[in-house]
Amino acid sequence: MAEAREPMQDIAHLGHTEILTPRRDESLWFFKEVLGMEEADRQDRSVYLRAFGDFDHNTLKLTEAKSAGLGHIGWRTVSSQALDRRAQALEESGSGKGWIDGDVGHGPAYQFEDPDGHLMEVYYQAEKYRPAEGERSALKNQPQRYPVWGVGVRRLDHINVLSQKVGRDREFMEEYLGFKLRENVVLDDGTEAGAWISVTPLAHDIAYTVDATNSNGRLHHVAYWADTREEVLRAADIFLENGIYIETGPSKHAITQGFFLYVYEPGGNRIEVFSGGYLILTPDFEPVTWTQEERAKGQAWGLQLPETFHTYGTPVVDPDAETKDVPVFDSS
Amino acid sequence: MAEAREPMQDIAHLGHTEILTPRRDESLWFFKEVLGMEEADRQDRSVYLRAFGDFDHNTLKLTEAKSAGLGHIGWRTVSSQALDRRAQALEESGSGKGWIDGDVGHGPAYQFEDPDGHLMEVYYQAEKYRPAEGERSALKNQPQRYPVWGVGVRRLDHINVLSQKVGRDREFMEEYLGFKLRENVVLDDGTEAGAWISVTPLAHDIAYTVDATNSNGRLHHVAYWADTREEVLRAADIFLENGIYIETGPSKHAITQGFFLYVYEPGGNRIEVFSGGYLILTPDFEPVTWTQEERAKGQAWGLQLPETFHTYGTPVVDPDAETKDVPVFDSS
Amino acid sequence: MAEAREPMQDIAHLGHTEILTPRRDESLWFFKEVLGMEEADRQDRSVYLRAFGDFDHNTLKLTEAKSAGLGHIGWRTVSSQALDRRAQALEESGSGKGWIDGDVGHGPAYQFEDPDGHLMEVYYQAEKYRPAEGERSALKNQPQRYPVWGVGVRRLDHINVLSQKVGRDREFMEEYLGFKLRENVVLDDGTEAGAWISVTPLAHDIAYTVDATNSNGRLHHVAYWADTREEVLRAADIFLENGIYIETGPSKHAITQGFFLYVYEPGGNRIEVFSGGYLILTPDFEPVTWTQEERAKGQAWGLQLPETFHTYGTPVVDPDAETKDVPVFDSS
Amino acid sequence: MAEAREPMQDIAHLGHTEILTPRRDESLWFFKEVLGMEEADRQDRSVYLRAFGDFDHNTLKLTEAKSAGLGHIGWRTVSSQALDRRAQALEESGSGKGWIDGDVGHGPAYQFEDPDGHLMEVYYQAEKYRPAEGERSALKNQPQRYPVWGVGVRRLDHINVLSQKVGRDREFMEEYLGFKLRENVVLDDGTEAGAWISVTPLAHDIAYTVDATNSNGRLHHVAYWADTREEVLRAADIFLENGIYIETGPSKHAITQGFFLYVYEPGGNRIEVFSGGYLILTPDFEPVTWTQEERAKGQAWGLQLPETFHTYGTPVVDPDAETKDVPVFDSS
């Protein structure tokens, strides 16, 4: 065991995501008034948002676009040196796209694509959120005051993207960014249908799940953390009262043990309010592989997810996903 | 910023603690029947215990002794190489006590003392818990089945020790083990009265708080994690019904935002059932310093902790701590 | 309004239920070890059970029988005079079956059948539970100590029975026992498919729902109250770990707003762990009628109940209910 | 037992309270923006408010006045006939003050004073709340949509008033209004220091506790119900962030087992956010009497209430209550 390679620890955490929306005003209303996030800035076609417990300036870039979908995913490194190491490795991998100067809230970033085509970037310099007087929390260790309205999510938690080849993408993330496999699903024919991976003690910072439509580069969902399961239950009432389409939940996942609630924001992207789960502090965690038969049992308490959970993503490419059960979004 | 030293990431997490009890049978009853932990093994005067979500063989060594108090604290490293690096640095620090072969559940460990005299060790090799058939969880990603009795704590969370000089000990832990300061209390006279530090994203893996009796090497409390605040509330009912002395809580700390409940196990050691708090995934967290005036406001919702919280520790050395309000333990 | 008839207030609450089980030992294990109820007494083929917050000696009579199903339902009156009034009215209704001397825990009862054939009784004299020393709660206002094991349900809440003609049975309960309609479902063809009625401020002490198999006298479920939604979530984990079949939930009903979790006890009867809901203290509550279209939307957060929820009852009469999705019970 | 007098069941529930505030705008902000209640109407110096689950038009009349304190307490009867019976009995008791035409939201009321001088009224006719389009809930059985801001209390729960002679007032309420004693505190000298009484299954619709200042007619607190303990915990964070003075809690009372949180609204009146507790459906509940020694143990989990809890009431008459620990209100 002493001869094992030491773990790479260059990526600190999921820093931000950018999602695209064909209905910016309605999407903004959802994130601000319903989820309880705050607008941090606006530039051109984008609005930058944050949750009250996010330490950085913003964690969500909401950009107006013709279709819903993923803009990009930002991974923050633990240091400048780590950033340089990752940029060089990505450059050599052939997946690199080069440096950008930065964006609202963060400095230089090296952009690249995972094999499935999801745009990502690594960066280190980030602007800490400095609350204006009225936004200061009574608790000195909280970046921003707890909101008195909406769901009141605390922080960005994870992202889930669809992929044509889950195993391929998982290995890419392991090799070039130091992700560790936590849990995955392997079908009877050997196909890896889903992989939950992380650089942090969270059971997943990102998950790859197979794209049933065989498209590439699509988004499954972005998840924000709520402090308690009770807040997730309360979120369901808030979504209900505000006409937000609840796809499934609240209930408990078998994989990651997360307590989930999935909705479609008005722009069409799937958003999760997430709590619970378990932490992986142990350095030699043994990944958990679920078989096809085990997955057929449904979620932790037996709930079967709706068909759309396995077919719907953004941008919407499956015409069948826009029918009966799902509210039609103007996302083309 | 690019020139900053890269963070040391050698310590993975708090692996186990050993606590001493003059009443082993009553203490065992508390940990097993009331907290819902499981006995993993027995050797000589010690019983090894685990919570259902602990990945390793055991996280608590309960040892019969003349007085209550701390046995030792075990820190697990991220790799063998990291263990070697830490052992060498500690050896050079002059605080080292040398290698031991290991103990039930883990391999070779290098022992040392922090400046206040708390015995600690670093180790890498650890035995994973392998559930017997009847102990297997229906959830494949859970080390052991959720218990149907007791509080049902999930995992070891943190430890809090008393110290004559908090600042001195904090700096030792930062320099030799890579701990990062998360929050501290600095009195008007400049004394550091408490320091919450961690190597993980938890707001503290260990806290040092000033020993009002000017003793050294004492234990304040060991904390086990409960998944929800509601489970902490339920724990209070269970403690009440089982005659366990509740010192304070459940309520919410200002520091770490943890949701706490403190009791004295029958051997006299203070035990916390803990939930909530916040995660520090950001790599450049700015430590939060609380002033004397800010601390005078009490906990998050204004609760004032009882005097014993600041004076009582194990072993018990302050005769005043054994009077009126506190149940007397036979701990001398 | 002044001329309106004054409300009948003769029935106090649901006092107890008797359920039949072909597997007494396994059923007993379920109620005692898994639900956390206590055995109060045994007589012949019956075991009498209670939850920790039930004020009377017992609220559940579990009787060994060839098939699962309902034994009888006991309604307690507010006074002896009220009992006499109800007995006389029931006698005159033609549904009466006469007086019995009583049973373990209660005195003389007048028995009758609702039009669908469910055996019921009204009684007033009841034995208060007197805890043995070890069963006394630390809280003087709690009949029995909170259990340290199992789900820990507090008290009997309500019963739901299947009926060939819901409207007919509802009217019978209104006229002879003073029940008030709280909520119901009326299909497009005018059929009353379900009725939730009560004499207490609970939204239902009993519900009648239409029997899809056109049988009569069947049981849908008996519900015990858990103090919090979190305890219902915890119950789901306990059921999961103990191999209890979870039919659906936890989730929130639209009707009654109850937070539900349905399982089949090993004898085959459906049992609900219930929390939440709303109280009806107002004396002129306006019943809420749900249309077929409204019900098609599913439960509060959109969950669709499984088909078995509408077909499975005890005794099991529908052979299709014993197939694929449902664990087969030896109930014939 | 058969000869016992039948229970009086004329009073249905606590219908509304009127509280006085010297700072109407700040009080209004508290009830609307912080507690999440809605303004139902305004007339002269009064604003009428409601919680989302209150069935009637309003449950709180907030009236501008020179000092904080109680305006009056409204008890709704089960029928017109019951109102006539109560009015006649009160008239004969000598405590009656006569009929008024009604107020916003209710019809004719008979006014009277309890022996301590708290103004009360009984009435039957009440206006049901009819939501405007935007206020309609997605749940047909909920009077009003769940608010997306503030604490989100569901309904008026109970009131607590101070009294020079608790026993005297309790007996008055029992004799003339049919209240039943649920719990009380009897000191070693035989004084009844507190009495929790109800006409509903709630453990108290009103409590009388002894006025340490020997004043009369004062208010201790008005309590609104939150659906879960978690919502009470969340309320504490909301109060903290909005500068509302938290006097004590959240914690669990021994008496009534209620989960409490007490704050002072900006006008100076104490307001409770309340959840939990237990229901008394049994018709022959045996009142629970707590001794002086038992009360000295503090609340359920050992918390000692602050001195102000026993001395502070509105209007403020004890100059000592306006010192150090309590924010000074301009209530004279």
Side-chain angles (χ1 to χ4, degrees):
Chain A
M1 203 171 278
E3 293 76 21
R5 197 169 58 160
E6 289 211 68
M8 184 202 303
Q9 303 184 62
D10 281 351
I11 303 297
H13 66 102
L14 174 60
H16 61 267
T17 71
E18 179 189 25
I19 63 176
L20 311 178
T21 173
R23 295 180 173 176
R24 202 190 64 169
D25 290 350
E26 292 89 334
S27 292
L28 250 184
W29 164 81
F30 170 82
F31 287 105
K32 291 173 68 173
E33 305 305 324
V34 181
L35 270 195
M37 294 177 68
E38 194 199 48
E39 182 175 330
D41 202 352
R42 297 196 177 214
Q43 296 285 346
D44 305 325
R45 295 181 311 148
S46 297
V47 182
Y48 298 81
L49 294 143
R50 48 174 285 104
F52 76 89
D54 285 325
F55 289 104
D56 289 343
H57 177 274
N58 67 79
T59 56
L60 180 65
K61 180 179 182 180
L62 185 66
T63 298
E64 195 160 19
K66 219 172 48 145
S67 302
L70 176 69
H72 75 279
I73 303 172
W75 301 105
R76 193 165 178 213
T77 63
V78 297
S79 65
S80 305
Q81 297 93 325
L83 172 57
D84 292 341
R85 281 192 297 270
R86 288 312 99 214
Q88 185 176 339
L90 289 160
E91 183 78 32
E92 291 167 2
S93 76
S95 64
K97 298 177 65 88
W99 289 92
I100 62 163
D101 286 344
D103 199 344
V104 175
H106 71 83
Y110 185 84
Q111 294 198 315
F112 62 99
E113 279 185 356
D114 71 8
D116 200 68
H118 301 98
L119 181 62
M120 300 187 179
E121 66 189 21
V122 284
Y123 67 102
Y124 175 66
Q125 290 178 9
E127 185 184 339
K128 285 261 171 299
Y129 171 69
R130 306 291 177 199
E133 189 51 47
E135 292 302 321
R136 195 159 288 159
S137 173
L139 289 172
K140 213 171 173 175
N141 51 9
Q142 190 163 290
Q144 188 174 353
R145 72 193 291 224
Y146 177 73
V148 80
W149 73 95
V151 172
V153 289
R154 181 184 278 265
R155 59 171 175 78
L156 174 59
D157 191 86
H158 67 264
I159 189 167
N160 182 317
V161 293
L162 295 167
S163 164
Q164 287 181 342
K165 294 191 178 172
V166 167
R168 173 198 60 189
D169 295 329
R170 170 181 59 73
E171 287 171 9
F172 174 85
M173 297 296 279
E174 289 173 343
E175 181 167 354
Y176 295 103
L177 297 173
F179 277 82
K180 285 161 275 188
L181 175 61
R182 306 312 199 169
E183 306 195 29
N184 65 354
V185 175
V186 177
L187 303 184
D188 294 348
D189 65 4
T191 308
E192 189 167 351
W196 286 256
I197 60 180
S198 67
V199 289
T200 71
L202 303 179
H204 61 323
D205 301 316
I206 184 169
Y208 281 89
T209 48
V210 75
D211 193 322
T213 68
N214 208 29
S215 307
N216 70 295
R218 294 209 299 162
L219 170 68
H220 192 269
H221 68 265
V222 170
Y224 273 81
W225 171 266
D227 273 352
T228 65
R229 301 197 294 196
E230 271 289 339
E231 291 193 15
V232 180
L233 300 180
R234 179 176 170 270
D237 278 333
I238 290 176
F239 292 139
L240 171 68
E241 293 285 32
N242 285 277
I244 303 298
Y245 176 71
I246 297 175
E247 187 185 38
T248 185
S251 194
K252 179 177 173 172
H253 278 307
I255 295 174
T256 78
Q257 296 189 25
F259 196 72
F260 64 84
L261 172 58
Y262 294 98
V263 299
Y264 296 174
E265 56 90 15
N269 297 292
R270 185 189 281 106
I271 300 294
E272 182 183 15
V273 178
F274 180 84
S275 193
Y278 64 95
L279 291 181
I280 303 173
L281 301 171
T282 192
D284 53 358
F285 181 76
E286 296 171 335
V288 177
T289 296
W290 303 76
T291 65
Q292 192 164 336
E293 185 188 358
E294 288 165 345
R295 291 308 303 127
K297 290 180 187 170
Q299 302 307 302
W301 300 323
L303 180 73
Q304 294 291 343
L305 298 181
E307 181 59 22
T308 53
F309 193 80
H310 303 293
T311 56
Y312 184 87
T314 47
V316 177
V317 292
D318 179 4
D320 292 341
E322 298 185 67
T323 53
K324 272 165 291 159
D325 297 334
V326 185
V328 180
F329 293 104
D330 182 19
S331 56
S332 58
Chain B
M1 200 174 282
E3 293 77 20
R5 196 169 58 158
E6 287 210 68
M8 184 203 304
Q9 302 184 65
D10 282 351
I11 303 298
H13 67 100
L14 173 61
H16 61 268
T17 71
E18 180 189 24
I19 64 176
L20 311 177
T21 173
R23 297 181 171 175
R24 200 189 64 169
D25 290 352
E26 292 90 335
S27 291
L28 251 183
W29 164 80
F30 170 82
F31 287 106
K32 290 173 68 174
E33 305 305 324
V34 181
L35 270 195
M37 294 176 70
E38 193 198 46
E39 182 175 330
D41 203 350
R42 295 195 179 214
Q43 296 286 343
D44 307 321
R45 296 182 309 147
S46 297
V47 183
Y48 298 81
L49 294 143
R50 50 174 285 103
F52 77 89
D54 285 326
F55 289 104
D56 289 344
H57 177 272
N58 68 78
T59 55
L60 180 66
K61 181 180 183 179
L62 185 66
T63 298
E64 194 160 20
K66 221 173 47 148
S67 302
L70 176 69
H72 75 279
I73 303 172
W75 300 107
R76 193 165 179 215
T77 62
V78 297
S79 65
S80 305
Q81 298 94 326
L83 172 57
D84 293 339
R85 282 192 296 268
R86 286 313 98 215
Q88 185 177 339
L90 289 160
E91 183 79 29
E92 292 167 2
S93 77
S95 62
K97 298 177 65 85
W99 289 92
I100 62 165
D101 285 345
D103 198 345
V104 174
H106 70 82
Y110 184 83
Q111 293 199 315
F112 62 99
E113 279 186 355
D114 71 8
D116 200 67
H118 300 97
L119 181 62
M120 300 186 177
E121 65 188 24
V122 283
Y123 66 103
Y124 176 66
Q125 290 177 9
E127 186 184 337
K128 284 261 173 297
Y129 171 70
R130 305 292 176 199
E133 188 49 48
E135 292 302 320
R136 195 159 288 157
S137 173
L139 289 173
K140 212 173 176 176
N141 51 9
Q142 192 163 291
Q144 188 173 352
R145 71 194 290 226
Y146 177 73
V148 80
W149 73 95
V151 173
V153 289
R154 180 184 278 264
R155 61 171 173 78
L156 174 60
D157 191 85
H158 67 265
I159 189 168
N160 181 317
V161 293
L162 294 167
S163 164
Q164 287 181 342
K165 292 191 179 171
V166 167
R168 174 198 60 189
D169 295 330
R170 170 181 58 75
E171 287 171 8
F172 174 86
M173 299 294 280
E174 289 173 345
E175 181 166 355
Y176 294 102
L177 297 174
F179 277 82
K180 284 160 275 187
L181 175 61
R182 305 312 199 170
E183 305 196 29
N184 64 355
V185 174
V186 177
L187 303 184
D188 293 349
D189 66 4
T191 309
E192 189 166 351
W196 287 254
I197 61 180
S198 67
V199 290
T200 70
L202 303 179
H204 61 324
D205 301 316
I206 185 169
Y208 282 89
T209 49
V210 74
D211 193 321
T213 69
N214 207 30
S215 308
N216 69 294
R218 295 210 297 161
L219 170 68
H220 192 271
H221 69 264
V222 170
Y224 273 82
W225 171 266
D227 272 352
T228 64
R229 302 198 293 196
E230 271 289 339
E231 291 193 15
V232 180
L233 300 179
R234 179 176 169 270
D237 279 334
I238 289 176
F239 292 140
L240 171 68
E241 292 285 31
N242 285 278
I244 304 298
Y245 177 71
I246 297 175
E247 187 185 38
T248 185
S251 193
K252 179 177 174 173
H253 278 307
I255 295 174
T256 78
Q257 297 189 26
F259 196 71
F260 64 86
L261 171 57
Y262 295 98
V263 299
Y264 297 174
E265 57 89 15
N269 297 293
R270 186 189 280 106
I271 300 295
E272 182 182 16
V273 178
F274 181 85
S275 193
Y278 63 96
L279 291 181
I280 303 173
L281 301 171
T282 192
D284 54 358
F285 182 75
E286 298 171 335
V288 176
T289 296
W290 303 76
T291 65
Q292 193 164 334
E293 184 188 358
E294 287 166 345
R295 291 308 303 129
K297 290 180 187 171
Q299 302 308 302
W301 300 324
L303 180 73
Q304 293 292 341
L305 298 181
E307 181 58 22
T308 53
F309 194 80
H310 302 293
T311 57
Y312 184 86
T314 47
V316 176
V317 292
D318 179 6
D320 293 341
E322 298 186 66
T323 54
K324 272 163 296 173
D325 297 336
V326 183
V328 180
F329 293 105
D330 182 21
S331 55
S332 59
Chain C
M1 202 174 280
E3 292 77 21
R5 195 169 59 158
E6 288 211 68
M8 184 202 305
Q9 301 184 67
D10 281 351
I11 303 297
H13 66 101
L14 174 61
H16 60 268
T17 71
E18 180 189 25
I19 64 177
L20 311 178
T21 172
R23 297 181 170 176
R24 201 191 64 168
D25 291 350
E26 292 90 334
S27 291
L28 250 183
W29 165 80
F30 171 82
F31 286 106
K32 290 174 69 173
E33 305 305 325
V34 182
L35 269 196
M37 294 177 68
E38 195 198 48
E39 181 175 329
D41 203 351
R42 290 192 184 220
Q43 296 285 345
D44 305 324
R45 296 182 309 145
S46 298
V47 182
Y48 298 82
L49 294 143
R50 49 175 283 103
F52 78 89
D54 285 326
F55 289 105
D56 289 345
H57 177 273
N58 68 78
T59 56
L60 180 66
K61 181 180 183 179
L62 185 66
T63 298
E64 195 160 20
K66 220 172 44 143
S67 303
L70 176 70
H72 75 279
I73 303 172
W75 301 105
R76 193 164 179 216
T77 64
V78 297
S79 64
S80 306
Q81 297 93 327
L83 172 58
D84 292 341
R85 282 192 295 269
R86 288 310 100 216
Q88 185 176 339
L90 288 160
E91 182 79 32
E92 290 168 4
S93 77
S95 63
K97 297 178 66 86
W99 289 91
I100 62 165
D101 285 344
D103 198 343
V104 174
H106 71 82
Y110 186 83
Q111 293 199 314
F112 62 100
E113 279 183 358
D114 71 7
D116 200 67
H118 300 97
L119 181 62
M120 300 186 179
E121 66 189 22
V122 284
Y123 65 103
Y124 175 66
Q125 290 178 10
E127 185 184 337
K128 284 263 171 296
Y129 171 69
R130 306 293 176 198
E133 189 50 47
E135 292 302 322
R136 195 160 288 157
S137 173
L139 289 173
K140 212 172 174 174
N141 51 10
Q142 192 162 290
Q144 189 174 353
R145 71 193 291 225
Y146 176 73
V148 80
W149 74 95
V151 172
V153 290
R154 180 182 279 264
R155 60 171 175 76
L156 174 60
D157 192 87
H158 66 265
I159 190 168
N160 181 316
V161 293
L162 295 167
S163 165
Q164 288 181 340
K165 293 190 178 172
V166 167
R168 172 200 62 189
D169 294 330
R170 170 181 58 75
E171 286 170 9
F172 173 85
M173 298 296 280
E174 289 173 343
E175 179 165 356
Y176 294 103
L177 297 174
F179 277 82
K180 286 160 274 188
L181 174 61
R182 304 314 198 169
E183 305 195 30
N184 64 354
V185 175
V186 177
L187 304 183
D188 293 349
D189 66 3
T191 309
E192 189 167 352
W196 286 256
I197 61 180
S198 68
V199 290
T200 71
L202 303 179
H204 61 323
D205 301 316
I206 186 170
Y208 281 90
T209 48
V210 75
D211 194 321
T213 67
N214 208 28
S215 308
N216 69 294
R218 294 209 299 160
L219 170 67
H220 192 270
H221 69 265
V222 170
Y224 273 82
W225 171 265
D227 273 353
T228 64
R229 301 197 293 195
E230 271 290 339
E231 291 194 14
V232 180
L233 300 180
R234 180 176 168 269
D237 278 333
I238 290 175
F239 292 140
L240 171 67
E241 293 285 31
N242 286 278
I244 304 298
Y245 177 71
I246 298 175
E247 187 184 38
T248 186
S251 194
K252 179 176 173 174
H253 277 308
I255 295 174
T256 78
Q257 296 189 25
F259 196 70
F260 63 86
L261 171 58
Y262 295 97
V263 299
Y264 296 175
E265 56 89 14
N269 297 293
R270 186 189 281 105
I271 300 294
E272 181 183 16
V273 177
F274 180 84
S275 193
Y278 64 94
L279 291 181
I280 303 172
L281 301 170
T282 192
D284 54 358
F285 182 76
E286 297 171 335
V288 176
T289 296
W290 302 76
T291 66
Q292 192 165 335
E293 184 189 359
E294 287 166 344
R295 292 307 303 128
K297 290 181 187 170
Q299 303 307 302
W301 300 324
L303 181 73
Q304 293 291 342
L305 298 180
E307 180 59 22
T308 54
F309 193 80
H310 303 293
T311 56
Y312 184 86
T314 49
V316 176
V317 291
D318 179 5
D320 293 341
E322 298 184 68
T323 55
K324 276 162 295 173
D325 298 334
V326 184
V328 179
F329 293 105
D330 182 20
S331 56
S332 59
Chain D
M1 200 173 280
E3 292 77 20
R5 195 169 60 160
E6 289 211 68
M8 184 202 305
Q9 301 183 67
D10 282 351
I11 303 297
H13 67 101
L14 174 61
H16 61 268
T17 70
E18 179 189 25
I19 64 176
L20 311 178
T21 173
R23 296 179 171 177
R24 200 189 66 170
D25 290 351
E26 291 90 335
S27 292
L28 249 184
W29 165 79
F30 171 83
F31 287 106
K32 291 173 68 173
E33 305 304 325
V34 181
L35 270 195
M37 294 178 68
E38 194 197 50
E39 182 175 329
D41 203 352
R42 294 194 179 216
Q43 296 285 344
D44 305 323
R45 296 182 311 147
S46 298
V47 182
Y48 298 81
L49 294 143
R50 50 175 283 104
F52 78 88
D54 286 325
F55 289 106
D56 289 344
H57 177 274
N58 68 79
T59 56
L60 180 66
K61 181 180 182 179
L62 184 66
T63 298
E64 194 160 21
K66 219 170 49 139
S67 304
L70 175 69
H72 75 279
I73 303 172
W75 301 106
R76 193 164 179 214
T77 64
V78 297
S79 65
S80 305
Q81 297 93 328
L83 173 57
D84 292 340
R85 282 193 295 270
R86 287 311 101 213
Q88 185 176 339
L90 288 161
E91 182 80 31
E92 290 167 3
S93 76
S95 64
K97 297 177 65 86
W99 289 91
I100 61 164
D101 286 344
D103 198 345
V104 174
H106 71 82
Y110 184 84
Q111 293 199 313
F112 62 99
E113 280 184 356
D114 70 9
D116 199 68
H118 301 98
L119 181 62
M120 299 185 179
E121 65 188 24
V122 283
Y123 66 102
Y124 175 65
Q125 291 178 9
E127 185 183 337
K128 284 261 172 297
Y129 171 70
R130 306 292 177 199
E133 189 51 48
E135 292 302 320
R136 196 159 287 157
S137 173
L139 289 173
K140 212 172 175 176
N141 51 9
Q142 191 163 291
Q144 189 173 353
R145 72 192 290 225
Y146 176 73
V148 81
W149 74 96
V151 172
V153 290
R154 181 184 278 264
R155 60 171 174 75
L156 174 60
D157 191 86
H158 67 265
I159 189 168
N160 181 317
V161 293
L162 294 166
S163 164
Q164 287 181 340
K165 294 190 178 171
V166 167
R168 172 199 61 190
D169 294 330
R170 171 182 58 75
E171 287 171 8
F172 174 85
M173 298 295 280
E174 289 173 344
E175 180 166 356
Y176 295 103
L177 297 174
F179 277 82
K180 285 160 275 187
L181 175 61
R182 304 313 197 168
E183 304 195 31
N184 64 353
V185 175
V186 177
L187 304 183
D188 293 348
D189 67 3
T191 309
E192 189 166 352
W196 286 256
I197 61 180
S198 68
V199 290
T200 70
L202 303 179
H204 62 322
D205 300 317
I206 184 170
Y208 281 89
T209 47
V210 74
D211 193 321
T213 67
N214 207 28
S215 308
N216 70 294
R218 294 210 298 160
L219 170 68
H220 192 270
H221 69 263
V222 170
Y224 273 81
W225 171 266
D227 273 351
T228 65
R229 302 197 294 194
E230 272 290 339
E231 291 193 15
V232 180
L233 300 179
R234 179 177 168 269
D237 278 333
I238 290 176
F239 292 141
L240 171 67
E241 292 285 32
N242 286 278
I244 304 298
Y245 177 71
I246 297 176
E247 188 185 37
T248 186
S251 194
K252 179 176 173 173
H253 277 307
I255 296 174
T256 78
Q257 296 189 25
F259 196 72
F260 64 85
L261 171 58
Y262 294 99
V263 299
Y264 297 174
E265 56 90 14
N269 298 292
R270 185 189 281 105
I271 300 295
E272 182 182 16
V273 177
F274 181 85
S275 193
Y278 64 95
L279 291 182
I280 303 172
L281 301 171
T282 192
D284 54 359
F285 181 76
E286 297 171 335
V288 176
T289 296
W290 303 76
T291 65
Q292 193 163 335
E293 185 189 357
E294 289 166 342
R295 292 307 303 126
K297 290 181 187 170
Q299 302 307 302
W301 301 324
L303 180 73
Q304 293 292 343
L305 298 181
E307 181 58 23
T308 53
F309 193 80
H310 303 293
T311 56
Y312 184 87
T314 48
V316 176
V317 291
D318 178 5
D320 294 339
E322 297 186 64
T323 54
K324 273 164 294 170
D325 297 336
V326 184
V328 180
F329 293 106
D330 183 20
S331 56
S332 59

